[in-house]
Amino acid sequence: STADPSVQAGILAAQGGVYLQLGELTQAIETTQQGLDLAATVGAVPLQSHLLNQLGQIYDQLGRGEDAIAAYQQAIEISNSRNDIAAVANALNSWGQLIARNSRRENRSNLAQPLFQTALNHFQRLGDGQSASIVLSNLGQLYEADTQPALAILFYKQAVTQHEAIRNDLTNLSPT
């Protein structure tokens, strides 16, 4: 019997993610694209968005910035059509990271900051403190790279505060 195509696409997504982590980018792109094609065929829109974001990250690793941005934009478009704010925020954060690493210094903050800020706003609205902490840290890194230490420290402190709040929430959980 043949496995459910949505399940197959999810497995390909996971496999592509592992290849990305291993730095095996040729296999990562092939596997992720196979998963994306299958997800599109069966209409698995949230998985398509995830795979497009992953494809963008692979293209970024390959130095194919324009292809990465196109993948992030497609992920955002698909996610917006389903009102999947978390997926939009993930793609915006990935796009911001690409811009922060690859843009000229004089443009970096102006281009990346709005992407990070929008992602942060979405994660905060969703109550996703862990993702918000990551974006705050990304903003700290952005301003540190732009030799704006006061802003870097501000965002790093916010990231730590957010992280501490999560840890305190977990510590205060009582067994039921």
Side-chain angles (χ1 to χ4, degrees):
S1 71
T2 305
D4 178 338
S6 294
V7 172
Q8 288 178 333
I11 292 168
L12 288 166
Q15 187 177 356
V18 171
Y19 281 134
L20 174 60
Q21 288 177 359
L22 293 173
E24 297 179 19
L25 301 180
T26 300
Q27 293 92 337
I29 205 165
E30 289 172 5
T31 306
T32 300
Q33 188 62 57
Q34 288 173 359
L36 180 58
D37 294 343
L38 192 53
T41 300
V42 298
V45 176
L47 187 53
Q48 283 178 273
S49 177
H50 169 77
L51 284 159
L52 283 163
N53 193 47
Q54 183 168 294
L55 194 59
Q57 292 169 354
I58 297 165
Y59 286 141
D60 183 13
Q61 291 287 320
L62 288 168
R64 294 171 53 185
E66 289 181 19
D67 291 330
I69 291 170
Y72 296 142
Q73 288 173 329
Q74 287 178 341
I76 292 166
E77 184 178 315
I78 287 173
S79 300
N80 273 331
S81 74
R82 302 272 305 197
N83 202 27
D84 186 347
I85 302 304
V88 170
N90 281 322
L92 287 167
N93 185 53
S94 295
W95 189 358
Q97 289 174 313
L98 178 143
I99 297 297
R101 278 192 308 278
N102 297 307
S103 293
R104 293 173 46 169
R105 184 168 180 262
E106 59 270 12
N107 295 329
R108 190 170 34 225
S109 292
N110 291 336
L111 296 172
Q113 190 276 340
L115 298 169
F116 285 141
Q117 189 63 55
T118 303
L120 178 62
N121 292 343
H122 288 328
F123 286 134
Q124 287 175 332
R125 191 171 63 225
L126 293 169
D128 185 346
Q130 181 177 357
S131 296
S133 178
I134 291 167
V135 177
L136 287 164
S137 180
N138 289 341
L139 281 160
Q141 290 172 12
L142 172 69
Y143 289 116
E144 182 180 4
D146 279 355
T147 59
Q148 296 184 53
L151 282 173
I153 289 170
L154 174 71
F155 284 106
Y156 284 141
K157 283 182 177 181
Q158 289 179 27
V160 169
T161 300
Q162 182 69 55
H163 185 72
E164 290 294 320
I166 294 167
R167 190 173 67 180
N168 289 338
D169 288 347
L170 291 174
T171 303
N172 292 331
L173 290 177
S174 61
T176 54

